């Protein structure tokens, strides 16, 4: 057989060989470093026997797949350690993830002391260097095998597999786990690891199922890589919006109000209002949108027409019971069907299109309680939602314009370098999830593919992530913990106009179905604020700050002048406050810096006599004295242009 290696060279073998043995023929050093392989692009275990012509990559810890094998092995070492120290714990699942690995256990909560004990036990297991041996059993035998070990979650997983399946296991010493692999050859390959945290998790992510305890950890091939990761994690904790946003008094949550229902404090509200006013003026005055205002709920009839009742009902808050009540309502999870009726309110001709509607829409999604997190996953949120009704011949250019608007918003916020573009496609293997014919889906997906290619925007394709009525471009950003969130969506809809009998009159007097673009310009305000908190570590660009200037009188003798300075600032629409506390000026400056205020204006005798302010900034420290009028002009220009200082970007990405 002929094996084509990563460098393009070809090796010939007379008989079948394992991936590990093939690595040995290349070099002993490569075999020592090998973690797994890729046969014709598919990740496989080192023990996998190759018996045909193929391409083969030997993956080490420097490869994504190799690092995942190290982490997957570490999760099995963790599971063995838990069974050694807590024999009554039941095993659930333990995969590798982008940032490390986790394992779920049916057990009481684990303390930090428990994690420390488990780390010590893991080191003992690793030191023994037990070989990981793979074996398989028929499904029925596999069920009995795990029943005898009293592992009900593993039994459930096996029962979900086909009856004729061969079930794979890995043994390391006395410990055995159900697993498809791949794994390292022995436990000594786990050289640098750390258990980072523990939390509650639902079995199979279902809140109606058992509550489990999840232990998170990470593993690397080198100690220095682990230390660098842990340092990044500490920085992530420092910038985590869920902690920092509360610390900065931007938002809070209250148990009696409910999960996923944040309360915005005056500071957070001020930031949301600045974003909202900017977006609304941008859309209405510069991008040709008309603004609508529609109800927060509607009868189920509306959602049945749109298809949301059949395809999205579980994600909605339904008010009433169809079997008992004459009318059933639901809080809206989207605005599109409401805006369709704004469009239909008057007859439109081909000259009226494109008809671009936008709304600052408050929406409701019945998210699972286990998914709630800060401002990124909530049950009530507000979005910069819009729908463009266009002629088919206008669709491509209007779609491009929506992408251009989104990119402008990202650039203004200083986050354009932090996003990835995704073409979210339908899944033809899951027809029940979608409406429309395959020809329509294939055509619309190709249009989006061509647009992104023409605009030279790199993108990846995600099968199964389309809306039920059309493909879309999702613009995603990664939070401080490495999880992707969708920030902006632009959807191509060639189907719903038919269901709502939407039309325009063409130049021949005929009624024609339009196309629709569903889009957001900036996205969800809550999620965007979370993104900005983490991006800038709370040190926002001046135009966005809830407090842009703090006036600091040296003593109470200069409070009157400080009040005049404050009045002048507010007359120019600058968000400013005065610190009149009887504290030393050094203390006041430190407090303002901790509050991340961009500018501090110190005023005393000379400043009052000469109409000056002593400027200290977050960016340059002591900027010296300036005439008040000069400072006002400078900061107003900074706010007007929405300037982003280089120092802000550097601070946010440390």
């Amino acid at each position: 057989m002929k094996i084509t290696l990563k460098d393009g060279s070809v090796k010939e073998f007379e008989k079948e060989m394992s991936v590990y043995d093939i690595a040995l023929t290349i070099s002993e050093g490569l075999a020592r470093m090998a973690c797994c392989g890729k046969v014709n692009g598919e990740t496989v275990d080192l023990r996998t026997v190759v018996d045909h012509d193929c391409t083969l990559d030997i993956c080490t810890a420097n490869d994504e797949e190799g690092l995942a094998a190290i982490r997957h092995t570490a999760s099995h070492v963790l599971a063995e350690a838990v069974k050694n120290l807590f024999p009554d714990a039941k095993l659930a699942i333990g995969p590798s993830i982008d940032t490390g690995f986790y394992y779920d256990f049916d057990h009481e909560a684990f303390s930090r002391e428990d994690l420390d004990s488990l780390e010590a036990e893991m080191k003992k297991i690793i030191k023994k260097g037990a070989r990981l041996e793979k074996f398989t059993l028929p499904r029925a035998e596999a069920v009995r095998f795990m029943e005898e070990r009293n592992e009900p979650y593993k039994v459930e997983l096996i029962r979900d597999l086909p009856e004729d399946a061969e079930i794979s296991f890995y043994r390391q010493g006395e410990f055995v786990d159900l697993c498809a692999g791949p794994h390292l050859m022995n436990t000594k390959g786990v050289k640098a690891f750390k258990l980072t945290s523990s939390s509650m998790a639902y079995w199979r992510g279902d809140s109606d199922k058992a509550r489990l305890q999840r232990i998170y950890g990470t593993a690397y091939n080198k100690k220095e890589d682990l230390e660098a990761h842990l340092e990044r994690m500490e920085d992530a904790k420092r910038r985590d919006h869920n902690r920092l946003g509360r610390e900065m008094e931007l938002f809070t949550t209250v148990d009696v109000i409910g999960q996923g229902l944040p309360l915005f404090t005056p500071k957070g509200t001020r930031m949301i209002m600045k974003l909202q006013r900017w977006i609304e003026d941008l859309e209405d005055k510069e991008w040709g949108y008309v603004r609508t205002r529609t109800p927060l709920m509607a009868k189920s009839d509306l959602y049945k027409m749109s298809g949301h009742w059949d395809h999205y009902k579980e994600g909605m808050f339904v008010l009433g019971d169809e079997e008992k009540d004459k009318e059933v309502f639901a809080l809206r999870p989207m605005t599109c069907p409401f805006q369709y009726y704004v469009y239909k309110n008057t007859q439109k001709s081909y000259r009226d299109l494109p008809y671009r509607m936008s709304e600052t829409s408050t929406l409701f999604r019945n998210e699972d309680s286990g998914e709630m997190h800060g401002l990124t996953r909530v049950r009530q949120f507000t979005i910069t939602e819009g729908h463009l009704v266009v002629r088919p011949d206008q669709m491509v250019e209007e779609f491009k314009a929506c992408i251009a608007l989104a990119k402008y918003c990202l650039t203004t916020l200083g986050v354009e370098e932090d996003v990835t573009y995704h073409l979210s496609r339908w899944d033809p293997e899951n027809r029940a999830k979608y409406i429309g014919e395959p020809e329509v889906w294939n055509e619309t997906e190709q249009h989006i593919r061509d647009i992104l290619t023409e605009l030279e925007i790199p993108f990846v394709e995600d099968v199964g992530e389309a809306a039920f009525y059309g493909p879309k471009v999702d613009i995603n950003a990664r939070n401080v913990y490495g999880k992707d969130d969708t920030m902006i969506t632009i959807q191509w809809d060639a189907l719903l106009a038919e269901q709502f009998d939407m039309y325009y009159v063409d130049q021949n007097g005929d009624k024609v179905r339009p196309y629709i673009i569903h889009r957001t310009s900036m996205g969800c305000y809550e999620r965007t604020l979370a993104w900005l908190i983490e991006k800038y570590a709370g040190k926002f660009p001046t135009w966005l700050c809830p407090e842009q200037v703090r006036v600091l009188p040296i003593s109470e003798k200069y409070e009157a002048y400080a009040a005049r300075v404050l009045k002048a600032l507010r007359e120019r629409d600058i968000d400013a406050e005065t610190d009149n506390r009887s504290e030393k000026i050094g203390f006041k400056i430190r407090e303002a810096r901790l509050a991340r205020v961009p500018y501090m204006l110190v005023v005393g005798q000379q400043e009052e006599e000469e109409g000056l302010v002593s400027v200290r900034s977050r960016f340059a420290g002591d900027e010296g004295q300036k005439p008040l009028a000069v400072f006002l002009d400078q900061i107003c220009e900074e706010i007007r242009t929405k300037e982003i200082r280089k120092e802000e970007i550097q601070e946010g990405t440390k």
Side-chain angles (χ1 to χ4, degrees), residues 330-427:
L331 298 178
R332 65 179 183 185
M334 81 307 291
T335 310
C336 45
F338 297 85
Q339 288 193 327
Y340 296 163
Y341 280 97
V342 173
Y343 173 84
K344 284 164 60 73
N345 186 51
T346 57
Q347 181 171 285
K348 305 291 190 300
S349 82
Y350 68 97
R351 294 188 182 91
D352 297 316
L353 304 188
Y355 190 74
R356 309 181 187 99
M357 297 172 284
S358 187
E359 183 167 332
T360 303
S361 305
T362 297
L363 305 178
F364 305 86
R365 304 272 173 91
N366 191 9
E367 300 279 5
D368 188 278
S369 60
E371 297 294 320
M372 299 296 102
H373 178 70
L375 300 179
T376 58
R377 186 73 67 176
V378 292
R379 286 175 170 153
Q380 175 184 307
F381 57 95
T382 302
I383 195 167
T384 61
E385 190 167 20
H387 296 89
L388 293 77
V389 185
V390 304
R391 303 193 309 262
D393 64 287
Q394 297 171 324
M395 187 67 167
V396 169
E397 290 306 312
E398 287 296 316
F399 203 92
K400 289 179 187 176
C402 290
I403 293 175
L405 175 56
K407 292 188 74 171
Y408 176 82
C409 292
L410 294 170
T411 300
T412 303
L413 293 172
V415 295
E416 71 281 2
E417 299 297 326
D418 304 333
V419 301
T420 55
Y421 288 77
H422 299 250
L423 167 51
S424 295
R425 301 169 51 194
W426 79 314
D427 180 1

Side-chain angles (χ1 to χ4, degrees), residues 492-543:
W492 185 301
D493 177 6
L495 298 171
L496 288 185
E498 177 77 27
Q499 293 181 223
F500 281 86
D501 192 27
M502 297 169 66
Y503 66 87
Y504 64 92
V505 178
D506 70 7
Q507 53 266 53
N508 299 319
D510 296 326
K511 292 181 177 180
V512 181
R513 296 292 182 210
Y515 284 176
I516 302 167
I517 300 173
H518 308 239
R519 49 100 270 181
T520 57
S521 51
M522 184 196 68
C524 164
Y525 286 96
E526 289 82 356
R527 188 171 286 183
T528 298
L529 181 56
W531 188 12
L532 295 173
I533 292 170
E534 296 184 352
K535 167 74 175 181
Y536 293 107
K539 295 185 177 181
F540 309 108
T542 301
W543 74 275

Side-chain angles (χ1 to χ4, degrees), residues 29-94:
L30 178 62
R32 282 196 302 271
M33 294 188 297
C35 300
C36 63
K38 288 177 71 176
V39 175
N40 291 334
E42 180 183 353
T43 303
V44 299
D45 197 274
L46 291 172
R47 302 155 190 80
T48 300
V49 173
V50 180
D51 59 3
H52 57 281
D53 294 352
C54 65
T55 61
L56 172 64
D57 295 347
I58 307 297
C59 301
T60 70
N62 295 324
D63 300 301
E64 180 181 333
E65 297 84 358
L67 187 57
I70 291 174
R71 291 168 170 175
H72 198 175
T73 305
S75 77
H76 277 224
V77 174
L78 167 61
E80 181 179 354
V82 168
K83 293 297 284 187
N84 289 349
L85 298 186
F86 306 99
D88 293 335
K90 306 302 178 193
L91 304 176
I93 58 172

Side-chain angles (χ1 to χ4, degrees), residues 61 119 259 353 409 440 592 609 644:
E119 282 185 2
Q259 279 186 298
L353 304 188
C409 292
V440 176
E609 291 174 351
I644 298 174

Side-chain angles (χ1 to χ4, degrees), residues 80-250:
E80 181 179 354
V82 168
K83 293 297 284 187
N84 289 349
L85 298 186
F86 306 99
D88 293 335
K90 306 302 178 193
L91 304 176
I93 58 172
S96 66
I97 55 178
D98 287 346
T99 56
F101 61 91
Y102 70 79
Y103 210 114
D104 290 345
F105 304 92
D106 190 341
H107 190 264
E108 63 187 28
F110 294 98
S111 66
R112 182 64 247 183
E113 291 74 17
D114 291 334
L115 299 189
D116 292 340
S117 298
L118 287 168
E119 282 185 2
E121 184 66 18
M122 289 174 70
K123 289 176 181 177
K124 294 178 184 177
I125 294 168
I126 292 167
K127 188 176 181 180
K128 289 179 182 177
R131 289 183 59 82
L132 280 89
E133 300 170 342
K134 183 177 181 179
F135 65 95
T136 62
L137 293 173
R139 179 175 175 273
E141 288 186 36
V143 168
R144 288 196 297 273
F145 184 73
M146 277 302 173
E147 284 178 337
E148 290 170 359
R149 288 175 172 265
N150 194 19
E151 296 291 356
Y153 299 99
K154 301 294 185 181
V155 170
E156 181 178 330
L157 291 172
I158 296 169
R159 290 190 190 279
D160 285 346
L161 297 173
E163 288 189 13
D164 59 351
E166 280 288 316
I167 312 301
S168 66
F169 296 84
Y170 279 83
R171 185 192 309 276
Q172 56 196 50
E174 297 298 316
F175 178 76
V176 179
D177 202 354
L178 169 73
C179 188
H183 284 287
L184 303 179
M185 298 299 284
N186 66 70
T187 59
K188 281 190 175 180
V190 181
K191 297 176 180 177
F193 74 93
K194 180 71 178 176
L195 300 183
T196 54
S197 64
S198 64
S199 65
M200 188 275 291
Y202 291 111
W203 171 233
R204 293 188 156 183
D206 188 339
S207 60
D208 293 329
K209 296 185 185 293
R211 292 165 63 99
L212 307 175
Q213 297 301 319
R214 176 171 296 177
I215 296 178
Y216 285 98
T218 193
Y220 285 86
N221 192 47
K222 298 177 182 177
K223 182 179 179 182
E224 50 266 37
D225 292 341
L226 174 63
E227 290 174 347
H229 170 81
L230 295 176
E231 186 175 332
R232 289 193 298 270
M233 292 298 291
E234 284 302 311
D235 181 61
K237 291 178 184 177
R238 178 177 69 88
R239 293 190 289 128
D240 183 348
H241 84 275
N242 203 23
R243 182 194 66 80
L244 188 54
R246 296 170 195 270
E247 180 184 292
M248 295 181 67
E249 298 180 2
L250 300 178

